[in-house]
Amino acid sequence: MANRPDNPMAKSGVIQLFPTYVWVAQLKPEVYEPINGKIEDYLQDLEQRNPELSASGQWQTAQDLHHQPAFAGLMTLVEANARSICDSLTLLYQGLHVTGCWANVSQQGFPHRQHIHPNNYLSGAYYVKTAPGADSISFHDPRPQATMLVPPARNQDLANPDQVSLDVSDGMLVMFPAWLNHSVAPNRSAITRISVAFNLMFPEFGTKMASPLWRGDTGAD
Ligand SMILES: [Fe+2]
């Protein structure tokens, strides 16, 4: 239409405001295979020492896996990726560290309900073991007002995406703002799904990054 002589517009376009970013990276097999092997061995050892875990159908580890040697390789990649994300956003910061890390182990039929990860800036999930039917994560529209009117559309996903499902695979690293609601559909495969979740925060946020966002009319005394 833009080139038609009867088009009254000299110029037109769409501006996307307040985008919600989800950063996705797929590790190379030669990188993720040894990482996943160490993680699976670590979890298998936990299950052997605590048989009630696998009997429950779904369990989570303690939240200190970022201090465990088996997770060191993954943590190096996570922190480097997080710094790259913050740099792409042009943030002014120094430290950025993992504050919590845990594994999720889910047998057939088990979901993860919708949630956020409070008290952090970035969160993410890394995939150790997936299969068709256990290979997605859903993100939910963070704008509560957006669901007030939902007109019918030929492509409802494009017009009114109240949630977006992302396909994931072994060795995939997915990162997102810690405030973004997300959930996982029930495991519809025969395998036990394994993911590792983590949070990152600026350690000096309270001392160096939390000043008011405006300048006063007088200087400091
Ligand atoms: Fe989560």
Side-chain angles (χ1 to χ4, degrees):
M1 181 173 175
N3 294 328
R4 281 171 46 175
D6 60 342
N7 181 3
M9 309 296 179
K11 201 174 180 183
S12 65
V14 177
I15 301 169
Q16 287 194 33
L17 300 179
F18 314 117
T20 302
Y21 297 117
V22 174
W23 295 273
V24 182
Q26 173 65 55
L27 304 189
K28 295 175 179 173
E30 61 267 32
V31 175
Y32 78 72
E33 283 169 1
I35 286 175
N36 290 8
K38 284 181 189 168
I39 293 174
E40 285 194 72
D41 288 348
Y42 178 90
L43 297 174
Q44 202 169 29
D45 180 58
L46 271 180
E47 282 187 323
Q48 280 169 357
R49 287 188 285 116
N50 304 278
E52 71 280 7
L53 293 176
S54 41
S56 71
Q58 185 176 54
W59 59 280
Q60 288 185 334
T61 65
Q63 295 154 353
D64 64 347
L65 297 188
H66 51 306
H67 298 308
Q68 300 294 334
F71 291 77
L74 175 61
M75 290 302 101
T76 300
L77 290 169
V78 163
E79 293 199 347
N81 204 49
R83 292 195 75 89
S84 166
I85 287 167
C86 290
D87 291 344
S88 74
L89 296 172
T90 75
L91 303 187
L92 301 173
Y93 69 102
Q94 291 176 351
L96 175 64
H97 299 309
V98 173
T99 58
C101 177
W102 61 99
N104 302 296
V105 181
S106 303
Q107 295 174 15
Q108 191 169 31
F110 285 89
H112 283 289
R113 60 176 175 73
Q114 192 178 141
H115 63 281
I116 61 171
H117 294 200
N119 295 334
N120 288 276
Y121 183 71
L122 285 174
S123 293
Y126 171 74
Y127 294 91
V128 177
K129 200 167 176 190
T130 66
D135 58 350
S136 70
I137 180 172
S138 292
F139 295 99
H140 301 266
D141 194 333
R143 307 164 303 166
Q145 310 93 318
T147 56
M148 191 186 78
L149 281 179
V150 185
R154 284 192 303 280
N155 185 340
Q156 201 72 19
D157 287 347
L158 193 63
N160 302 292
D162 73 321
Q163 65 174 286
V164 175
S165 177
L166 173 70
D167 291 339
V168 299
S169 56
D170 294 359
M172 185 177 280
L173 185 59
V174 179
M175 296 179 66
F176 44 88
W179 48 258
L180 182 58
N181 254 305
H182 55 284
S183 63
V184 180
N187 179 351
R188 294 191 188 87
S189 80
I191 66 141
T192 297
R193 179 182 182 280
I194 301 175
S195 65
V196 177
F198 50 84
N199 293 325
L200 295 113
M201 185 56 182
F202 308 106
E204 60 274 278
F205 193 85
T207 55
K208 295 182 180 169
M209 299 172 68
S211 298
L213 296 176
W214 70 93
R215 288 178 188 273
D217 295 320
T218 63
D221 290 333

